[in-house]
Amino acid sequence: MPRKQAEKVDFEASLEQLSQIVKVMEQGDLSLEDALKYFEQGIKLTHQCQSALQKAEQKVKILMEENKEGILEPYEDE
């Protein structure tokens, strides 16, 4: 799978998992230990999503700057 497509799937999958965790935790039927496990997993997923969004924001900034100069080139993630 190409890297860009894999990142998109990872972001969407992470966001969906995070949504499911929120639903489970909102029900309030978890033991303290299980709630902490879900919370920890949710924090990790949140960081993954934030990282993906920051990369996308950086790409947009680069494209906007290049567009001011009239030059558009493919974005290369380091």
Side-chain angles (χ1 to χ4, degrees), residues 25 29-41:
M25 291 186 74
D29 297 333
L30 298 172
S31 68
L32 178 59
E33 185 177 316
D34 288 340
L36 287 172
K37 288 178 183 178
Y38 275 105
F39 182 76
E40 182 178 7
Q41 185 180 9

Side-chain angles (χ1 to χ4, degrees), residues 43-68:
I43 293 296
K44 289 178 184 178
L45 290 167
T46 299
H47 288 297
Q48 290 173 1
C49 290
Q50 287 174 337
S51 176
L53 289 173
Q54 287 171 347
K55 286 179 183 179
E57 182 180 13
Q58 183 64 30
K59 181 177 178 178
V60 168
K61 285 180 182 179
I62 290 169
L63 291 171
M64 294 299 292
E65 286 298 317
E66 290 174 351
N67 191 35
K68 287 181 185 176

Side-chain angles (χ1 to χ4, degrees), residues 1 16-17 27 35 41 54 71 75:
M1 180 181 310
E16 178 60 31
Q17 288 176 0
Q27 292 175 358
Q41 185 180 9
Q54 287 171 347
I71 302 169
Y75 173 76

Side-chain angles (χ1 to χ4, degrees), residues 8-23:
K8 180 180 177 185
V9 171
D10 289 343
F11 175 77
E12 291 175 358
S14 294
L15 198 56
E16 178 60 31
Q17 288 176 0
L18 189 56
S19 177
Q20 293 302 317
I21 287 171
V22 169
K23 287 178 185 177

